[in-house]
Amino acid sequence: MPRAISRRTGAALAALAAVLLACAWGVCAAPARADVGISDTRPGIFSDWRFTDLGVTHVRLVVPWDVAVDKPEATDAYLAAAQAAGVSVHVAFEHLSGDQCPSAPCTLPGVQDFRTAFVAFRNRWPQVTSFTAWNEASHETQPTRGDPARAAAYYDTIVDQCPTCEVVAADVLGGDPGMAQWLRAFQNAARHPPLLYGLHDYSDADRGSTADLDGMLSMIGGGAKLWITETGGIVRFRTRDGVETMGYDEARAARAIGWALEVADAYAAIVPRTYIYSFTGGGRMDTGLVGLDGSTRAGYDVLLQYQRAHTIPPLPRPPGTQGATTPVWDRHSTPGGSATSGGAGGARGGGSSPTRLSGPRRTVLRSPRVRRTGRLGLRLLLSCPAGAPRCTGTIRASGLRRATYSVRPGGRATVLLHCTHRRPRARATLRLAFTQSGVKPWHAKVSVR
């Protein structure tokens, strides 16, 4: 939904597929690329040629904090498979496997117990040097919810035991009630100044927003970095009581993934890594790029096109999968309406569908302001899907002369708009109409102050 953006932040959000540039944080300049990884706990992903075709070299694994001393076999298999595939693993600790937080049992380990378990982890798996002190630590599903000081002690313990390790200090869920207060208490309790934070940013991705991300950046200070430790598109969501609040919708999830990737690029200088959750579907919150039935979902296509547009090469395919059948992303239209004629660089059998025209995939509005003169200045950043022909068309709005855009496939272009506005410094709602030959006209509504 459109959001009214304050003059204090100096940035605005466009509806539909708008991504806010990071200029408010001093990060706007040349195009950047985020380092994209996958968060998934199943070792079978490394033997799936669709995973290796993505070219992802970072994965995130969530494990119980005592995994090295209690049932380590599954983690053995996962880390061995990742190492064989040439993929680095970031490990996030969380509650015991049998905990039912916020119901009982919900065990908060002592600092000495956590230290003992972490030392055992390092001794068993010394190849892992990247950690999250506690996964989604401010959420009610974790025992650290009511004790941010204890969570800070776990972070300090990891830094003490492995000063050269890469450590996400506080990992939180965007939009979680009380998160800001929890984070401030964590910061006040930590002995080692946090240099890296983590955010689970599902809400922004599914709403087409950057509100949670902007809020998190305002809380961590200018000297720290932030990772999006989980984001993605929700295909289906059910509550703990089994009530389905988001029905099955692959296209909705694909749009959310596309948004998350555009945000990742726009903020890449201060948010250098983004993990998509997850590769395999299932569970009451299903965000899989691949279904439990083995089907390839639309969100996979979005991520694959992103990787190829950034010239990320695939990893070597697992043995015996070199002749795998052509994936669906080589044969059907993308969620945005543009058909690919080869997906990752040419159809591998089966023939390709005709290429259709497509409008700009994402629209970014930067620093709109209603000036004293009553004119509204807008800067749009338009990007064209890599698999589409050149995106060329016009933009219309009330009080605006017709503006034209032309964006090469896989590229971006900036369009400057100046619109009249009768009430200076009042809230303005601008309705943009985009027209392109061969493409159904589409609209965006933006509210600014």
Side-chain angles (χ1 to χ4, degrees):
M1 294 178 62
R3 292 178 56 89
I5 305 300
S6 67
R7 292 172 59 85
R8 177 182 170 197
T9 59
L13 180 68
L16 299 181
V19 178
L20 184 64
L21 290 180
C23 295
W25 311 101
V27 184
C28 58
R33 182 188 69 81
D35 190 4
V36 176
I38 297 286
S39 182
D40 199 296
T41 61
R42 298 171 176 85
I45 65 174
F46 303 109
S47 59
D48 191 318
W49 57 271
R50 290 168 297 186
F51 175 84
T52 55
D53 273 13
L54 289 172
V56 168
T57 57
H58 297 282
V59 294
R60 179 175 177 270
L61 173 65
V62 181
V63 297
W65 62 269
D66 68 340
V67 66
V69 295
D70 183 34
K71 301 176 182 177
E73 294 78 16
T75 303
D76 277 332
Y78 187 99
L79 295 177
Q83 191 169 28
V87 177
S88 65
V89 181
H90 174 85
V91 169
F93 297 112
E94 67 164 5
H95 59 72
L96 297 176
S97 57
D99 278 356
Q100 301 294 325
C101 301
S103 302
C106 186
T107 309
L108 185 69
V111 176
Q112 182 58 47
D113 293 333
F114 184 88
R115 180 182 295 110
T116 299
F118 181 73
V119 170
F121 188 103
R122 291 284 296 144
N123 289 337
R124 188 178 185 101
W125 301 296
Q127 72 270 30
V128 180
T129 58
S130 185
F131 298 96
T132 288
W134 202 277
N135 176 59
E136 223 167 71
S138 65
H139 195 253
E140 64 176 6
T141 58
Q142 301 296 332
T144 49
R145 163 81 173 203
D147 199 338
R150 181 69 62 87
Y154 301 152
Y155 161 66
D156 288 328
T157 297
I158 293 178
V159 176
D160 289 340
Q161 297 299 317
C162 190
T164 61
C165 285
E166 187 175 46
V167 186
V168 174
D171 183 71
V172 296
L173 175 66
D176 192 17
M179 183 270 284
Q181 293 84 348
W182 189 97
L183 188 59
R184 283 194 292 268
F186 177 98
Q187 293 167 328
N188 291 334
R191 288 186 289 105
H192 297 283
L195 301 178
L196 180 61
Y197 291 82
L199 176 67
H200 291 197
D201 202 25
Y202 295 103
S203 182
D204 278 347
D206 286 303
R207 292 180 308 179
S209 172
T210 59
D212 289 343
L213 176 55
D214 290 336
M216 185 69 176
L217 287 172
S218 70
M219 287 185 281
I220 69 174
K225 297 285 187 181
L226 175 69
W227 283 359
I228 302 299
T229 40
E230 283 188 21
T231 189
I234 299 175
V235 178
R236 172 186 288 158
F237 184 84
R238 291 189 294 269
T239 67
R240 293 189 186 90
D241 299 329
V243 178
E244 186 172 88
T245 57
M246 297 179 72
Y248 192 96
D249 191 336
E250 290 187 24
R252 177 191 61 219
R255 289 192 297 269
I257 291 172
W259 185 294
L261 293 172
E262 289 288 339
V263 171
D265 276 357
Y267 285 80
I270 196 169
V271 187
R273 185 173 299 173
T274 293
Y275 288 94
I276 301 295
Y277 182 87
S278 59
F279 185 79
T280 311
R284 65 182 187 86
M285 188 177 85
D286 187 347
T287 58
L289 302 175
V290 173
L292 279 177
D293 61 355
S295 62
T296 306
R297 291 173 171 172
Y300 177 90
D301 182 52
V302 173
L303 180 54
L304 180 73
Q305 289 198 23
Y306 173 88
Q307 294 289 85
R308 293 300 179 267
H310 287 292
T311 66
I312 306 299
L315 299 176
R317 283 192 172 191
T321 64
Q322 287 77 5
T325 58
T326 306
V328 294
W329 38 262
D330 275 340
R331 299 197 301 263
H332 70 71
S333 299
T334 66
S338 61
T340 60
S341 58
R348 291 183 286 273
S352 58
S353 57
T355 301
R356 303 174 187 172
L357 294 175
S358 174
R361 184 177 56 184
R362 294 290 178 263
T363 309
V364 183
L365 276 81
R366 176 162 65 91
S367 301
R369 294 179 181 177
V370 180
R371 302 175 180 174
R372 292 178 181 272
T373 59
R375 295 185 64 82
L376 180 64
L378 295 171
R379 183 185 299 271
L380 277 71
L381 178 62
L382 305 180
S383 66
C384 186
R390 193 174 191 90
C391 299
T392 303
T394 61
I395 308 170
R396 295 180 182 271
S398 176
L400 167 71
R401 289 186 178 181
R402 186 176 66 175
T404 62
Y405 63 86
S406 181
V407 192
R408 61 179 175 79
R412 299 181 178 183
T414 299
V415 179
L416 299 178
L417 305 179
H418 296 282
C419 307
T420 59
H421 182 52
R422 295 180 181 178
R423 299 172 56 197
R425 293 200 169 189
R427 176 183 292 186
T429 300
L430 185 66
R431 291 175 173 82
L432 303 177
F434 293 78
T435 304
Q436 179 173 321
S437 177
V439 178
K440 182 179 179 180
W442 58 282
H443 305 269
K445 182 172 70 173
V446 187
S447 295
V448 296
R449 291 185 185 277

